[in-house]
Amino acid sequence: MSQEYESEYSEGDLRKTGMALKHDREWDYELERIIDAVEERDAKKIGLQFPEGLKRRGPSVADDLRELVDDDVTIMLSGQPCYGACDLDTFLMKRTDVFVHFGHSPMKDTEKVIYVPLFSNVEVTPIIEESLETLEPPEETPEIGLVTTAQHMNRFSEMREFLEDRGYDVETRRGDDRLTHEGQVLGCNYASADVPADQVLYVGGGKFHPLGLAMEHPDKHVVIADPVNNVVTVADTEKFMKQRYGAVHRAMDAQKWGVIFCTKIGQGRWEIAQDILADNDDAYLITMDEVTPDRLRNFDMDAFVNTGCPRITTDDGPRFHKPMLTPGEYEIAVGNEPLDSLEFDTFHGTW
């Protein structure tokens, strides 16, 4: 998925920075915890699922596990696309005794899945210190919200202490049930930023998360401290808003609508899809696991509304041959809501 709409990868994507190998060598795959589960369950089949940027590491992890298990244990690597903790390979999970999901924190407590978060080893204090030049000083605005992604949660206390030592009152909270940690944000959920502070510091790579945060909380000054690319920027929603308004305008004349229902375990919003179908006789339900432009190209629709992961719309929207809208944008396009009600699409709750 792309963040800069013309580029293949987000700015915080390790595949673009050339830092991937450095980080991979130091990540802890928690093999001992996996082996303990194998022995406890007398497992004969182990399933391993990696996010897209780490799939190349799958064979090496499998090799390490083979050295630690009996010869009659089968290890399987998931080849399904994976973009988050909501994106589990349920087919493989049901057919293995131990299923391990790497790279994300748990979205829901379950004994069926072992989550290995793979925390980043990047130092965060240097870039936070640089961000002080962009943040409002504590003498003028003492309260500050602090958020980050799962990859940097291992340094969250360090981030908080650094800001507190420089005079800030750090406001943090855990969002809703979709979030595991205090101060954690997802690409679809920014409830942890709902704190009594006029400015928020986001520590992490890329711009998608802070962009959604800035749109969900337009009253807050959102500063991005990116420890991967070593840059500090301010979240600017202008370009994104222009793109989304453009998609809505192109869809206003649409007659036939394709309503996308994503079958991934953590991305389905069945009630929203049903509401749209009940209100529009020219809407047709399309069920899919992986939503891509090629898969939709043969459908004779004027526009699509995506009830699955918001990033399908916001990251990949320009790649679809017909307008791809969020549920909220759909309501604007069909005249149920005013144009100025456009806002970022977010996910709440688990499955």
Side-chain angles (χ1 to χ4, degrees):
M1 291 185 177
S2 61
Q3 167 53 41
E4 290 299 324
Y5 310 113
E6 301 84 9
S7 65
E8 184 181 2
Y9 302 133
S10 69
E11 289 190 7
D13 194 309
L14 294 180
R15 291 170 290 179
K16 183 177 180 181
T17 64
M19 298 176 64
L21 295 180
K22 172 184 175 182
H23 291 256
D24 286 346
R25 282 199 297 268
E26 298 186 28
W27 278 338
D28 180 8
Y29 293 98
E30 301 188 31
L31 299 185
E32 291 183 4
R33 184 156 68 100
I34 298 171
I35 295 301
D36 286 344
V38 170
E39 294 176 350
E40 289 173 4
R41 304 176 195 181
D42 192 23
K44 298 303 180 185
K45 294 180 181 178
I46 304 173
L48 308 179
Q49 184 181 26
F50 293 84
E52 296 310 287
L54 286 176
K55 275 187 166 61
R56 68 190 181 280
R57 290 300 177 189
S60 296
V61 177
D63 286 341
D64 290 340
L65 286 172
R66 285 196 187 105
E67 296 293 327
L68 302 172
V69 300
D70 295 334
D71 292 339
D72 61 346
V73 175
T74 300
I75 299 175
M76 292 177 275
L77 298 171
S78 172
Q80 291 294 102
C82 177
Y83 299 106
C86 59
D87 199 356
L88 301 176
D89 185 341
T90 54
F91 182 92
L92 183 60
M93 181 171 63
K94 292 175 182 177
R95 288 159 178 81
T96 50
D97 305 308
V98 171
F99 181 77
V100 189
H101 180 93
F102 294 93
H104 303 105
S105 58
M107 187 167 288
K108 185 176 183 177
D109 291 333
T110 174
E111 295 180 355
K112 295 182 179 180
V113 185
I114 297 174
Y115 289 90
V116 178
L118 299 181
F119 293 125
S120 171
N121 64 314
V122 176
E123 294 290 339
V124 295
T125 50
I127 198 64
I128 296 179
E129 183 169 13
E130 185 177 336
S131 74
L132 298 178
E133 299 178 7
T134 305
L135 292 166
E136 296 293 331
E139 297 81 11
E140 299 178 11
T141 309
E143 295 83 12
I144 185 171
L146 176 63
V147 297
T148 189
T149 59
Q151 288 71 37
H152 301 288
M153 287 306 311
N154 57 323
R155 297 185 181 272
F156 193 71
S157 296
E158 181 182 344
M159 300 176 198
R160 176 198 289 273
E161 292 174 4
F162 184 91
L163 292 169
E164 289 177 341
D165 288 345
R166 282 145 185 83
Y168 285 103
D169 296 328
V170 182
E171 302 284 349
T172 62
R173 66 184 291 263
R174 179 191 169 191
D176 57 27
D177 292 340
R178 201 170 179 85
L179 299 158
T180 306
H181 305 287
E182 179 176 345
Q184 180 188 2
V185 293
L186 302 175
C188 61
N189 189 302
Y190 309 98
S192 293
D194 188 14
V195 294
D198 293 332
Q199 61 179 340
V200 175
L201 178 64
Y202 163 82
V203 181
K207 294 184 179 179
F208 181 85
H209 291 75
L211 182 65
L213 193 160
M215 288 193 63
E216 175 127 339
H217 302 281
D219 56 324
K220 298 183 186 297
H221 177 58
V222 178
V223 175
I224 307 167
D226 183 344
V228 175
N229 290 312
N230 196 34
V231 293
V232 176
T233 53
V234 176
D236 184 1
T237 63
E238 182 179 358
K239 180 180 179 180
F240 177 81
M241 290 294 288
K242 286 181 178 178
Q243 181 210 92
R244 300 317 311 154
Y245 277 123
V248 171
H249 278 291
R250 291 195 301 275
M252 285 181 174
D253 295 328
Q255 297 297 315
K256 294 172 64 178
W257 286 85
V259 182
I260 308 299
F261 175 76
C262 187
T263 58
K264 292 180 184 293
I265 188 171
Q267 296 183 11
R269 290 185 284 184
W270 181 252
E271 292 183 359
I272 292 178
Q274 288 296 300
D275 288 344
I276 294 172
L277 293 169
D279 189 54
N280 190 339
D281 292 336
D282 294 317
Y284 303 86
L285 187 66
I286 302 173
T287 64
M288 310 178 71
D289 57 351
E290 180 73 1
V291 184
T292 65
D294 289 343
R295 290 187 174 190
L296 291 179
R297 189 168 295 278
N298 290 330
F299 283 100
D300 183 25
M301 301 292 171
D302 300 316
F304 297 95
V305 51
N306 166 44
T307 67
C309 174
R311 297 191 71 162
I312 296 169
T313 307
T314 53
D315 270 25
D316 293 339
R319 297 173 53 213
F320 290 93
H321 70 293
K322 295 295 176 64
M324 173 69 78
L325 305 187
T326 67
E329 292 169 350
Y330 164 82
E331 296 296 333
I332 296 172
V334 299
N336 293 340
E337 296 291 339
L339 189 61
D340 61 6
S341 66
L342 192 150
E343 59 185 14
F344 200 83
D345 186 25
T346 57
F347 246 97
H348 298 276
T350 56
W351 56 85

